[in-house]
Amino acid sequence: MKTTLKAQMSQQIAMTPQLLQSIRLLQLDSLRLEQEVRRMLERNPLLEQEEDEEDVVAEDTNPRAVIDEDEPDYAWERGAHAGGGGEDEDAMARVADRPHGDFRAALLEQFALECRAPSELALAALVLDHTDDNGYLEVPVAELAALARAQGLDADALETVRQRVMRLEPAGCGAADLSECLRAQLDGRDGVDPLAHAIVRSHLALLAAHDLPALAAALGVDRDRAAAAVDRVLALDPRPASGWGAAEDAVVVPDVVVRKQDGQWRVSLNPRTAPRLRVNAALERLMGEANGPGEHAVMRELLQEARWMARGVAIRNDTLLRATTAIVERQHGFLERGEEAMVPLTLKEIADAIGVHESTISRVSTGKYVQTPRGTFELKHFFAVRLNGAEVGGSAVRAMVRKLIDQENPAAPLGDDAIATLLARQGIRIARRTVAKYRDQLRIPPAKVRALTGNGRGYARSA
C-alpha cells in the first residue's frame, strides 16, 4: 500500500456564532425580537438600550422612495391586512399573521437545539428558505441539493437534515409532496397505523374520490377498518404551516411606515419595533483599564456578547429599512393606484439592489409588516410572480378581474372566456383557467350562478 498526499481546494461557508445570531435576528418578528432584547438586557449588564426614538437612517439617492428621518405617527392596525380600499390578499403569496412568529423561524430554533454541527443548521435553513407558506418545498429535492452544493454545503447530508426537519413541529414542513407530508405527521403520532400509512403512500386518489369500497378492497380489509383508517388520515393537516399561530383578530404593529410627503414616498422604521442597542461606555472603559491574566474573564465574555447583539440588531434594522426602500421604489405604482399597478418582483431583484443574498431578503420580509396609505401588508405581499403572456403580476391581474366583474351588467354577467378576451385587449393574454383561478380566489361564483342571483358585483365587493 502506498501513502500519498493530495491537495484539494473547496469552498465552504463558515457559520460563526456571529453569523448564526445575525441570521436568527433577521427572521424574528417584532414581538420575538422584543422578547429577545429584553432577555439580553436582563442578563447582560454591559448592554443597554438607547432611550431616544430617532429612526434608523441610511443613505438613499432614489427620488421615488426616501428614507424618512422624521418620526411618523404610527397607527396600530387590526388584522394582517387593514384598510386601503378592501383589496383582497393572496394567501399563497404571504405568511399569515402569527403572534408567535413565522413557522420557519420556529422550526429553525427547534432544529438548533438538536443539530450536531453548524453545517446541519445551514442545511436546515436552506430547506426552510425554499419552503412555501403551506409547508411544501418550492423546488425539487435534486435542485435543492444543487443549491446546497453551490453554497459549499454538504449536499449528501441534505436529505437526512430534511427528514429531521419534517419531524419537527409543525410536522410535515419541508415535504416534497402531500404523501410525504402526511407520512411525516403519521410517524410523529403514538403507535404505528399501517392502514393509514398505506392510504397516504399509495391510495390518495381513492381517498380524494371518497370511494370507500374501492379503498377497502385495495387495503384488503373490511369497510369499517378502512373507514377508521380514513378518519385518522383526515385528521392530519395537508397544509401544516398555513395555520401556524394564526390569529384573525391579532393586533399587528407595523415594522416600517411608508407615507407620501412633498411628492416623495418616505420610508421609516417604527422605533417601537426597531430597538437600538449599545454597549455601556463606562463599563467598557473600566474593562479596558483592567489588566492581569484571567481577570474579569466572565465580564469579557459579556462584553463580546453585548457587542455582537448590538451589531446584530443594527444589521437587522438596516437591512429591513434598505429592503423596504427598494421594494417601495419598484412598487410605487401600487401605492399610488392600487393592486392593478402591482408589478412582477422577485427576491433576487431586491437582493441584487441592496447587495445581499436572496435568502436574506426572504428572512427579512417574512413576518415584517409595512404600513402604507392603502393598508398594512406583510412585505412578502409586494413580491409578485410574472405571468406568462403578461408584463404584470398575479395580484394585478386578479384586481383587474375583480374590477371587470364589479362593472359588469348584472343581467348579463361576464364568463371566464369573456374576461380573458377583455384582458387580452389590454395586452394581458392569459388562459381561461387562470381567470377562473383568480375568480375563485376572490370568492366570486361563475357567471351562471351570478346570473341567477343577480348580485355579481356584490360578490366582488365582499371578497
Side-chain angles (χ1 to χ4, degrees):
M1 172 180 273
K2 183 179 179 181
T3 302
T4 60
L5 293 175
K6 183 174 68 173
Q8 183 177 354
M9 296 181 65
S10 63
Q11 290 183 336
Q12 289 187 339
I13 295 178
M15 299 291 285
T16 63
Q18 300 98 308
L19 179 57
L20 287 173
Q21 184 182 56
S22 295
I23 291 174
R24 189 168 62 85
L25 290 174
L26 274 175
Q27 55 199 17
L28 293 181
D29 61 16
S30 58
L31 177 59
R32 293 177 70 85
L33 178 66
E34 180 185 0
Q35 294 171 344
E36 178 72 7
V37 168
R38 187 184 301 117
R39 183 182 68 83
M40 291 294 294
L41 290 172
E42 290 174 352
R43 70 182 295 271
N44 194 328
L46 291 170
L47 188 66
E48 60 184 21
Q49 184 170 356
E50 297 183 28
E51 296 300 327
D52 58 47
E53 293 191 344
E54 295 179 3
D55 290 347
V56 180
V57 178
E59 186 175 353
D60 178 76
T61 58
N62 190 291
R64 291 177 180 169
V66 179
I67 294 176
D68 194 0
E69 300 183 20
D70 300 322
E71 180 180 346
D73 180 21
Y74 296 101
W76 288 29
E77 303 285 350
R78 295 195 65 83
H81 171 191
E87 297 291 348
D88 195 22
E89 283 191 291
D90 188 347
M92 294 298 292
R94 65 174 180 82
V95 181
D97 170 38
R98 298 178 176 92
H100 299 294
D102 176 50
F103 75 93
R104 299 175 185 86
L107 286 169
L108 199 60
E109 287 183 4
Q110 293 177 53
F111 191 87
L113 296 176
E114 63 174 48
C115 72
R116 305 178 183 90
S119 59
E120 292 186 344
L121 191 61
L123 285 171
L126 179 67
V127 171
L128 293 170
D129 280 342
H130 292 82
T131 299
D132 66 22
D133 296 341
N134 286 324
Y136 290 90
L137 284 182
E138 297 175 317
V139 297
V141 176
E143 184 176 336
L144 195 63
L147 290 172
R149 198 172 294 109
Q151 295 182 22
L153 301 175
D154 184 4
D156 294 335
L158 176 68
E159 185 58 22
T160 300
V161 168
R162 189 175 71 89
Q163 293 295 329
R164 287 165 57 191
V165 168
M166 283 195 292
R167 267 62 181 179
L168 300 174
E169 182 61 35
C173 291
D177 54 40
L178 176 61
S179 176
E180 190 176 51
C181 174
L182 298 180
R183 290 202 307 270
Q185 295 179 48
L186 286 173
D187 290 340
R189 301 201 167 197
D190 295 334
V192 178
D193 188 338
L195 291 180
H197 268 280
I199 292 174
V200 301
R201 186 181 298 275
S202 306
H203 306 298
L204 285 177
L206 292 176
L207 178 68
H210 305 287
D211 193 342
L212 186 59
L215 190 58
L219 295 173
V221 297
D222 58 42
R223 293 185 58 168
D224 290 340
R225 292 185 61 191
V230 166
D231 288 341
R232 283 188 284 273
V233 173
L234 294 179
L236 305 175
D237 191 348
R239 292 177 294 190
S242 62
W244 174 256
E248 189 172 323
D249 294 325
V251 174
V252 172
V253 183
D255 300 271
V256 190
V257 171
V258 176
R259 56 178 179 166
K260 197 167 189 178
Q261 185 176 1
D262 299 328
Q264 294 181 322
W265 288 103
R266 298 187 175 272
V267 183
S268 53
L269 291 183
N270 183 350
R272 299 174 184 172
T273 60
R276 301 179 65 188
L277 304 179
R278 66 188 175 195
V279 178
N280 186 292
L283 292 178
E284 185 178 19
R285 186 170 55 254
L286 286 175
M287 290 188 60
E289 297 171 354
N291 51 37
E295 292 185 6
H296 308 295
V298 174
M299 292 299 290
R300 288 195 180 92
E301 290 182 4
L302 289 175
L303 175 60
Q304 190 64 45
E305 181 184 68
R307 287 171 175 169
W308 288 352
M309 185 65 179
R311 176 171 172 76
V313 170
I315 290 174
R316 176 191 185 273
N317 293 340
D318 178 69
T319 305
L320 176 59
L321 186 62
R322 291 192 296 125
T324 307
T325 302
I327 291 171
V328 170
E329 290 170 1
R330 288 154 179 78
Q331 297 291 14
H332 66 278
F334 162 79
L335 297 172
E336 294 173 355
R337 302 191 300 277
E339 290 279 0
E340 292 183 42
M342 185 82 81
V343 299
L345 185 63
T346 64
L347 297 175
K348 189 176 187 306
E349 289 179 62
I350 299 301
D352 291 342
I354 67 174
V356 300
H357 192 273
E358 60 185 288
S359 64
T360 299
I361 302 301
S362 176
R363 293 185 181 99
V364 82
S365 61
T366 298
K368 316 301 188 302
Y369 290 86
V370 54
Q371 180 178 303
T372 75
R374 291 191 171 273
T376 299
F377 306 88
E378 189 180 12
L379 276 178
K380 278 186 176 291
H381 176 74
F382 295 94
F383 294 98
V385 177
R386 185 184 303 274
L387 293 180
N388 292 330
E391 291 299 318
V392 296
S395 298
V397 175
R398 186 182 56 204
M400 293 176 186
V401 170
R402 175 200 292 272
K403 184 177 180 180
L404 287 171
I405 294 177
D406 195 42
Q407 296 176 346
E408 70 183 5
N409 181 356
L414 296 172
D416 295 338
D417 286 318
I419 294 174
T421 300
L422 291 173
L423 290 174
R425 293 176 183 174
Q426 301 179 43
I428 301 170
R429 304 185 184 281
I430 58 175
R432 181 202 59 79
R433 62 179 178 275
T434 305
V435 173
K437 179 185 75 171
Y438 287 123
R439 178 177 50 71
D440 289 341
Q441 289 179 359
L442 292 167
R443 300 191 295 276
I444 300 174
K448 291 181 179 179
V449 177
R450 301 202 304 276
L452 292 174
T453 58
N455 61 349
R457 287 183 292 177
Y459 277 102
R461 291 195 188 99
S462 64

